[in-house]
Amino acid sequence: MSNTPKAIRGTQDIFGAEAEAFAHVVETFERVRKLYRFRRIEMPVFEKTEVFSRSIGETTDVVSKEMYSFLDRGDESLTLRPEFTAGIARAYITNGWQQHAPLKVATHGPLFRYERPQKGRYRQFHQLDAEIIGAAEPQADVELLVMADQLLKELGIADGVTLMLNTLGDGASRDAWRASLVEYFRAVQGDLSEDSQERLERNPLRILDSKDPRDQAFVAGAPKIDDFLSGEAQDFFGAVTSGLDAAGVAWTRSQSLVRGLDYYRHTAFEFVTDRLGAQGTVLGGGRYDGLMESLGGPATPAVGWAAGIERLAMLVGEVGPQDGHVVVIAENSGAEAAALRTLKQLRSVGIPANASFKGNPKRRIEVATKDGASLLLFVRDDDDPRGLYNFRSMLREGNSDDLLAMRVRAALGIE
Ligand code: ATP
Ligand code: MG
């Protein structure tokens, strides 16, 4: 074992109940995105580095210290995707997906960030992602938030998860707010964290997102976006909040909410919980009207969100028992072929079935029991005068899985 290579720090090998919870999150997302008519897309795991550096912003944590970038054998700088949106924007431009606007798309898969690994924070993690591209209307923001809300409800984790909502205003509102933030933080510069002292001139909004207590002491008193919102930006935000109210989605205003990426305009939001310690943001997103232009594309309004699958899976916890299944056991070696035929018949009509083929019959029953079988089906060879099948219910009296037994009998033509 000592010279077996170790897994890369911050990656996970997911198995058992955790893997079932992970799959349950993805399956629920797939169901909900179809319900909302989002089209499925598949995206490359890596892109040219500039796809991310030009859009996410050079001064963000993601670009300045978290990207997995490398030169490939053709000396091109490539980066393992740290998020979905930039790659989707690149694809929208390069494939001419404008013809489908407004385009509702969804995807999920692995992302890579060089972060300090801890519970709920990994270097390879996984996200669900939903975007509406080519829609400037606040109804698009509402649609995405209603969908996120339904997803959390269908996962059974909406209790204790709060939608925190903010607006960052339009370009003009944001610039005025930014100038006022620089002035405010400059006065206390020496008391800020080293990171924030550096962010001050280049990216003061980032200070609002700082988790350092030295910065947080000043965040509460910082200038608020509401004092800088243009009439248009106010109307936009008003339309989003009244849409949420009409759809029955609860929300809480958070005036200091900014997101970890630079491209957001207008709406910004996070669904947060206190059940995951410091890693409490399960889903986040917002409007990114300026992003396409930063990649050299035409001005294209868009809005989207991403959710951490691992964090959702932790909240989901144990996924309830799977449907009952039958385990097929050949009684002797002459019955192997009949057992295979039986398994195929059961599965072809949608009955969950497993084989138990390791060791003697006693051992096979043990394995099946451990596997959680609700029904054992012993198969004899074709010439056995006692008939082909022998059933044994594995459930306690009065709790037997009668429906499963009936289905099995019907599938195999047993009286
Ligand atoms: P955080 O503030 O927790 O670092 P973020 O703002 O960097 O989050 P986003 O880029 O908005 O996160 O990603 C959306 C979601 O993806 C997060 O809300 C979280 O659930 C999940 N996520 C982000 N980074 C990680 C990570 N390193 N490991 C696991 N999940 C992550
Ligand atoms: Mg982060």
Side-chain angles (χ1 to χ4, degrees):
M1 284 296 279
S2 61
N3 64 4
T4 304
K6 289 203 172 62
I8 297 172
R9 200 165 122 74
T11 64
Q12 309 179 87
D13 307 310
I14 310 174
F15 176 73
E18 277 174 46
E20 295 299 339
F22 190 109
H24 176 66
V25 169
V26 172
E27 283 160 17
T28 308
F29 174 68
E30 272 297 297
R31 190 158 44 75
V32 172
R33 70 103 186 147
K34 286 180 196 160
L35 214 47
Y36 282 75
R37 305 288 296 163
F38 278 68
R39 298 163 79 166
R40 176 73 205 221
I41 49 170
E42 297 296 337
M43 300 300 304
V45 170
F46 54 1
E47 295 275 353
K48 291 185 181 182
T49 297
E50 62 180 320
V51 168
F52 305 110
S53 58
R54 281 168 58 179
S55 58
I56 298 174
E58 296 278 2
T59 58
T60 59
D61 284 355
V62 171
V63 172
S64 65
K65 50 191 186 205
E66 294 175 2
M67 291 206 303
Y68 277 94
S69 301
F70 59 96
L71 289 179
D72 75 356
R73 290 168 192 273
D75 269 340
E76 182 143 45
S77 178
L78 305 181
T79 294
L80 300 183
R81 63 185 181 199
E83 59 129 30
F84 277 114
T85 309
I88 294 172
R90 191 274 308 144
Y92 185 87
I93 302 166
T94 54
N95 296 311
W97 287 348
Q98 288 95 326
Q99 59 177 311
H100 305 296
L103 177 63
K104 295 164 69 171
V105 291
T107 191
H108 61 82
L111 294 306
F112 306 84
R113 293 183 193 176
Y114 193 81
E115 300 206 65
R116 198 164 63 78
Q118 52 199 290
K119 195 172 160 57
R121 190 173 293 283
Y122 312 97
R123 289 184 175 173
Q124 175 174 336
F125 62 101
H126 301 78
Q127 282 183 347
L128 313 171
D129 186 274
E131 319 271 351
I132 303 181
I133 310 176
E137 296 73 18
Q139 286 89 335
D141 309 47
V142 173
E143 165 91 340
L144 275 165
L145 284 164
V146 173
M147 179 201 192
D149 184 68
Q150 179 161 355
L151 173 68
L152 298 180
K153 289 198 169 110
E154 299 224 351
L155 287 171
I157 59 176
D159 274 354
V161 178
T162 310
L163 166 56
M164 309 296 285
L165 188 66
N166 197 16
T167 175
L168 306 176
D170 47 27
S173 326
R174 205 177 131 123
D175 287 347
W177 183 38
R178 186 186 191 286
S180 169
L181 284 171
V182 172
E183 199 181 319
Y184 170 82
F185 283 119
R186 204 184 274 141
V188 293
Q189 185 162 9
D191 298 322
L192 298 175
S193 70
E194 293 74 26
D195 273 352
S196 287
Q197 297 196 18
E198 209 187 299
R199 290 174 182 132
L200 181 55
E201 306 288 337
R202 289 194 301 165
N203 203 343
L205 268 66
R206 293 261 59 78
I207 302 177
L208 300 177
D209 198 31
S210 167
K211 282 152 193 133
D212 193 304
R214 286 173 290 176
D215 301 328
Q216 281 174 348
F218 297 104
V219 167
K224 300 284 180 281
I225 179 68
D226 279 4
D227 296 328
F228 303 91
L229 285 182
S230 64
E232 218 177 304
Q234 271 172 21
D235 290 347
F236 191 95
F237 193 55
V240 172
T241 55
S242 56
L244 291 175
D245 293 342
V249 175
W251 55 276
T252 302
R253 179 72 197 276
S254 167
Q255 286 225 47
S256 59
L257 188 146
V258 292
R259 305 271 311 128
L261 318 170
D262 273 354
Y263 48 60
Y264 290 109
R265 298 284 178 281
H266 289 291
T267 323
F269 54 84
E270 288 182 346
F271 285 80
V272 296
T273 173
D274 52 17
R275 278 188 277 159
L276 294 177
Q279 269 53 255
T281 305
V282 292
L283 185 153
R287 182 161 274 285
Y288 53 91
D289 292 349
L291 187 143
M292 293 284 173
E293 286 161 287
S294 70
L295 291 174
T300 309
V303 52
W305 57 248
I309 299 179
E310 287 86 352
R311 293 185 195 179
L312 292 173
M314 286 194 296
L315 287 179
V316 166
E318 298 275 305
V319 175
Q322 296 192 345
D323 291 347
H325 74 283
V326 52
V327 171
V328 174
I329 300 176
E331 273 199 359
N332 52 49
S333 57
E336 298 288 358
L340 281 172
R341 281 201 310 275
T342 304
L343 274 168
K344 186 169 173 182
Q345 251 169 306
L346 293 173
R347 289 165 173 164
S348 68
V349 297
I351 296 173
N354 208 355
S356 185
F357 46 72
K358 231 176 140 55
N360 60 30
K362 184 161 168 274
R363 172 90 184 108
R364 293 183 189 200
I365 294 171
E366 278 167 21
V367 171
T369 310
K370 211 173 148 200
D371 184 33
S374 39
L375 198 65
L376 298 189
L377 181 60
F378 296 93
V379 182
R380 306 198 179 103
D381 66 50
D382 295 309
D383 313 321
D384 198 308
R386 290 172 299 166
L388 204 54
Y389 300 112
N390 181 22
F391 283 93
R392 186 194 298 178
S393 170
M394 299 304 286
L395 297 173
R396 255 170 269 115
E397 211 57 50
N399 188 25
S400 70
D401 204 336
D402 290 337
L403 184 62
L404 181 67
M406 271 169 55
R407 289 179 68 204
V408 170
R409 285 177 196 278
L412 301 176
I414 307 170
E415 294 300 300

